[in-house]
Amino acid sequence: MTDTITLDEATELITAAEAAAEDMDLAMVITVANPAGNLVAQHRMDGAWLASVNISRNKAYTAAALQMPTHELADPTQPGESLWGLQTTDDNRLVVFGGGYPLEVDGDIVGTIGVSGGEVAQDMAVAEAGVERFEELRG
């Protein structure tokens, strides 16, 4: 059986990410998905944008589907670049800006995290807090 993130672990990642968002005085949506990009847990902080529900989920999905952090897609999807238009594929689920990360154990993706609600750098920082907690749990 493929290793996958558990609900208990997902809850811990969400708690860590939410604390980082609160430190920045931001209301965000945090999503944790399994290696196939399917929802494990999602948390919408009070006051978070409704649009961030789907954006965070799609960031987690993208990190699983393409097995990479979503910010790595920003440059190659610019007009004239090799992946231009990628974000219009896969039923428009692919997100090509930061805030989504794979969660890996021994080189294998066991889950992903996606965060939305701030500027891209803020989304990334909050998601990274979740990644750091994952590494503490699985390290």
Side-chain angles (χ1 to χ4, degrees):
M1 184 172 135
T2 303
D3 191 18
T4 188
I5 190 162
T6 67
L7 178 58
D8 287 341
E9 290 171 321
T11 301
E12 292 224 21
L13 273 58
I14 288 170
T15 299
E18 182 177 16
E22 287 173 345
D23 286 347
M24 290 187 246
D25 199 28
L26 295 170
M28 303 188 117
V29 180
I30 304 140
T31 300
V32 177
N34 70 14
N38 296 315
L39 183 66
V40 173
Q42 186 174 54
H43 178 70
R44 179 177 178 222
M45 296 172 66
D46 291 341
W49 296 328
L50 184 58
S52 291
V53 171
N54 283 335
I55 295 168
S56 69
R57 189 167 181 177
N58 288 343
K59 286 180 181 184
Y61 172 80
T62 302
L66 300 179
Q67 301 179 350
M68 65 174 52
T70 58
H71 68 269
E72 291 181 7
L73 296 163
D75 289 337
T77 57
Q78 293 298 309
E81 296 300 324
S82 64
L83 295 178
W84 166 243
L86 179 71
Q87 66 275 19
T88 65
T89 66
D90 202 3
D91 294 324
N92 294 310
R93 289 190 69 193
L94 299 179
V95 177
V96 297
F97 51 90
Y101 290 88
L103 304 168
E104 298 183 34
V105 174
D106 298 327
D108 294 323
I109 295 174
V110 300
T112 61
I113 186 169
V115 172
S116 179
E119 296 177 8
V120 171
Q122 294 168 325
D123 290 357
M124 290 173 65
V126 170
E128 288 166 2
V131 172
E132 288 172 13
R133 181 64 184 133
F134 177 77
E135 290 171 352
E136 290 170 0
L137 292 170
R138 291 281 190 113

